[in-house]
Amino acid sequence: MQQENYWTPLDLDVDSITTRHRNPGEEYLFYRAVAAGQIGLVQDNCSRGRFENPEGVGLLSTDPLANIKYHFVITAAMITRFCTEGGMALEEAFCLSDSYILKMDRCTNIAEVVLLHDQMCLDYAGRMRLLKKFAASSKQVAEAIDYIYLHILERITINDLANAIAISPAYLSRIFKQEIGVSVSDYIRQRKLEVAKNMLRFSDMDLVEIASYLSYSSQSHFIQHFRQQTGMTPKAYRNANYMNNWNVNREEDHPPSEE
């Protein structure tokens, strides 16, 4: 017997939805910052109130409290996926998500949901940062890595870093290279480059803004550093990778190419 009409789409009034949704790159940039343990970037996003801003996020309920709760669940699901692909244990990530969603379900106003959202994102980011610190065997190097992740948007010198953890620059340089395999300066450049690549892929910020955001002395210095590390200019990288690779943590597949 031939089966007919096995699928019938619902009669939805799609034309009545007039909300213009945000560019998804902004959200992916945030999720990647959480998964990379970049607490400074996560704190910056939360402090700007992006989660509670209803503009461009879609209307999931006409009840404002229910609407933001639905978006909370979406955020928890996305962060869980990003963090598991970034190395967090699957069970830890999902149990954490379940716990936060259950707690959110008891919230009685929007302010409580927003506060819990920020706590959740920083919790995931903090746990991911700890994963990075496990690469170090000494307390001093672990503290140095922690400082770098907390201050990645600032200009960090080895003297600043050594002073922050109360050891000499020469000793820090030696043990860092022994344990991590790269120099302190190279490690800082690599972490800044991770942020820059995400911003080029998932945001519309121009090169001047990105250079300033990451505390480069100038746009030309940023371009020079980027080209030295990747073999291509920031503009060429953006042209090859902008918004076209949605695998949350995999490195881009496109080979270097110039304009």
Side-chain angles (χ1 to χ4, degrees):
M1 178 177 176
Q2 185 177 2
Q3 185 176 6
E4 297 180 357
N5 299 325
Y6 62 92
W7 170 69
T8 303
L10 293 176
D11 185 15
L12 300 175
D13 188 12
V14 177
D15 293 337
S16 67
I17 305 297
T18 58
T19 302
R20 292 186 59 125
H21 292 78
R22 291 177 192 163
N23 187 321
E26 179 182 349
E27 294 181 9
Y28 272 70
L29 184 62
F30 176 68
Y31 299 147
R32 288 178 73 93
V34 173
Q38 295 163 342
I39 286 187
L41 274 72
V42 176
Q43 288 176 326
D44 178 64
N45 184 282
C46 292
S47 68
R48 289 187 287 114
R50 296 301 290 155
F51 174 69
E52 60 191 297
N53 183 355
E55 183 179 353
V57 298
L59 184 65
L60 305 181
S61 172
T62 55
D63 176 8
L65 179 58
N67 188 60
I68 201 168
K69 283 187 172 185
Y70 290 146
H71 282 290
F72 183 104
V73 174
I74 293 172
T75 300
M78 294 298 293
I79 287 177
T80 298
R81 181 186 175 195
F82 273 73
C83 288
T84 53
E85 293 201 12
M88 181 179 284
L90 192 67
E91 194 63 26
E92 177 187 3
F94 279 100
C95 286
L96 200 60
S97 172
D98 292 348
S99 297
Y100 274 106
I101 291 173
L102 285 171
K103 189 170 184 178
M104 178 276 298
D105 194 45
R106 297 193 293 269
C107 291
T108 58
N109 58 67
I110 291 176
E112 290 179 353
V113 178
V114 172
L115 178 60
L116 188 62
H117 164 273
D118 294 353
Q119 291 172 340
M120 174 181 69
C121 295
L122 288 168
D123 189 1
Y124 271 98
R127 291 167 187 259
M128 294 304 293
R129 193 177 74 196
L130 286 176
L131 289 178
K132 314 297 180 182
K133 290 172 65 177
F134 287 155
S137 59
S138 71
K139 180 175 181 291
Q140 292 96 334
V141 172
E143 289 177 344
I145 291 174
D146 204 33
Y147 183 93
I148 291 168
Y149 272 85
L150 280 170
H151 300 271
I152 196 60
L153 300 181
E154 303 169 16
R155 181 176 179 269
I156 307 171
T157 68
I158 190 167
N159 287 335
D160 295 334
L161 194 52
N163 288 336
I165 61 177
I167 62 175
S168 73
Y171 180 63
L172 174 60
S173 296
R174 185 170 68 254
I175 62 173
F176 197 98
K177 182 67 177 290
Q178 288 174 348
E179 295 183 27
I180 306 302
V182 296
S183 69
V184 175
S185 297
D186 283 344
Y187 188 86
I188 293 171
R189 282 192 286 267
Q190 289 171 5
R191 302 292 76 75
K192 282 186 177 287
L193 186 62
E194 288 177 355
V195 179
K197 289 167 90 174
N198 285 335
M199 297 180 82
L200 289 166
R201 290 176 66 193
F202 299 116
S203 84
D204 294 317
M205 293 177 69
D206 61 33
L207 300 188
V208 173
E209 292 174 309
I210 293 174
S212 175
Y213 192 67
L214 292 172
S215 298
Y216 282 94
S217 58
S218 65
Q219 178 185 344
S220 60
H221 181 212
F222 166 60
I223 294 173
Q224 179 185 29
H225 164 229
F226 194 96
R227 189 165 191 168
Q228 286 174 344
Q229 298 293 315
T230 67
M232 62 197 307
T233 64
K235 181 180 178 182
Y237 180 88
R238 170 170 273 168
N239 288 342
N241 295 284
Y242 181 67
M243 302 285 281
N244 65 354
N245 180 1
W246 296 102
N247 187 322
V248 294
N249 282 296
R250 187 180 64 202
E251 281 298 312
E252 61 286 348
D253 297 325
H254 300 277
S257 61
E258 291 302 325
E259 308 93 314

